[in-house]
Amino acid sequence: MMISYSVDGAATTSVTTVDCQKQVRSWRLLRAIAELLLPTCSNCIVTQENQETLGKTYSPKYSSTITGTLFGYRRGKVSFCIQTNPKSISPILLLELAIPTNVLAKEMKGGSVRFAFESKRSMDSDSGSGSVLSMPSWTMYFNGRKVGFAVKRKPSRADMEVLQQIDTVAVGAGITRVEHDVMYLRGKFGRFHGSANSESFHLIDPDGNNNGQELSFYFLRSR
């Protein structure tokens, strides 16, 4: 069984391939459930490069809250979707990340997970005039390590089917079937506007047991 919080706050259940009898009430439990959902990796190699971690520990005052969802096939790469709410059919942002689900699973077991994305303005275009989230591609850092590139894309039909199947879930983790099993991890995130060229999203624990630093996404646009 998969147990999660619905949009109205009530606990909902649906049949999945995971046997879990506890409610998702904290990031630690959410992460523990995700470890069951995501395959483990015994030999995951990530290119390491000296890089000052974007986004240092602090307790930001959020300008708004959004719904954030990590999802992907067992043997595929992870996508990150930002929506105004779980039922929104027009995502604010959909990124294909440069890591497979098994690498994410390994990192989640270790504690806090931080994603940082850096994009540079093009001198011969107006790419820097819009929102920082409007940039088409990003250099991606995962827990301080450079891992490749994240690419912004339009939702596919399969993406929308996944989002529609879990549109009653506000906070939770599980497996949903489209063409193949798709694993997802969804939570409520605080949105913080640092400047016109920086923005971040921080997971909000349903019980308020952390300051938003357990799972964070940082976006920076540089010259």
Side-chain angles (χ1 to χ4, degrees), residues 15-16 24 31 45 48 53 58 62 67 95 97 107-108 110 116 120 131 139 145 154 160 164 168 179-180 188 211 223:
V15 177
T16 69
V24 181
R31 189 174 65 212
I45 301 175
Q48 297 197 27
T53 303
Y58 63 101
Y62 302 130
T67 295
L95 281 182
L97 308 185
E107 292 290 335
M108 288 177 71
K120 293 186 178 181
S131 164
T139 300
R145 303 187 298 271
K154 293 182 178 180
M160 295 308 300
Q164 289 169 6
T168 60
E179 294 179 357
H180 302 283
K188 186 177 182 181
N211 63 359
R223 296 183 182 276

Side-chain angles (χ1 to χ4, degrees), residues 129-145:
S129 61
S131 164
V132 64
L133 299 182
S134 67
M135 305 301 288
S137 62
W138 305 80
T139 300
M140 178 176 163
Y141 300 89
F142 183 46
N143 280 351
R145 303 187 298 271

Side-chain angles (χ1 to χ4, degrees), residues 19-20 54 63 71 74 111 131 140 168 172:
D19 184 13
C20 175
L54 299 177
S63 58
F71 66 95
R74 286 184 182 275
S131 164
M140 178 176 163
T168 60

Side-chain angles (χ1 to χ4, degrees), residues 3-12 86 167-172:
I3 302 179
S4 58
Y5 285 136
S6 64
V7 176
D8 59 8
T12 60
D167 65 2
T168 60
V169 178
V171 177

Side-chain angles (χ1 to χ4, degrees), residues 100-175:
T101 52
N102 54 6
V103 174
L104 176 61
K106 181 182 179 181
E107 292 290 335
M108 288 177 71
K109 291 180 179 180
S112 298
V113 175
R114 297 187 183 183
F115 295 87
F117 306 92
E118 183 179 18
S119 186
K120 293 186 178 181
R121 297 180 181 180
S122 175
M123 299 300 293
D124 56 355
S125 73
D126 59 357
S127 61
S129 61
S131 164
V132 64
L133 299 182
S134 67
M135 305 301 288
S137 62
W138 305 80
T139 300
M140 178 176 163
Y141 300 89
F142 183 46
N143 280 351
R145 303 187 298 271
K146 184 177 180 180
V147 294
F149 297 91
V151 179
K152 181 180 179 180
R153 61 182 177 82
K154 293 182 178 180
S156 66
R157 180 178 178 180
D159 293 329
M160 295 308 300
E161 287 182 3
V162 172
L163 297 176
Q164 289 169 6
Q165 287 188 23
I166 61 174
D167 65 2
T168 60
V169 178
V171 177
I175 298 176

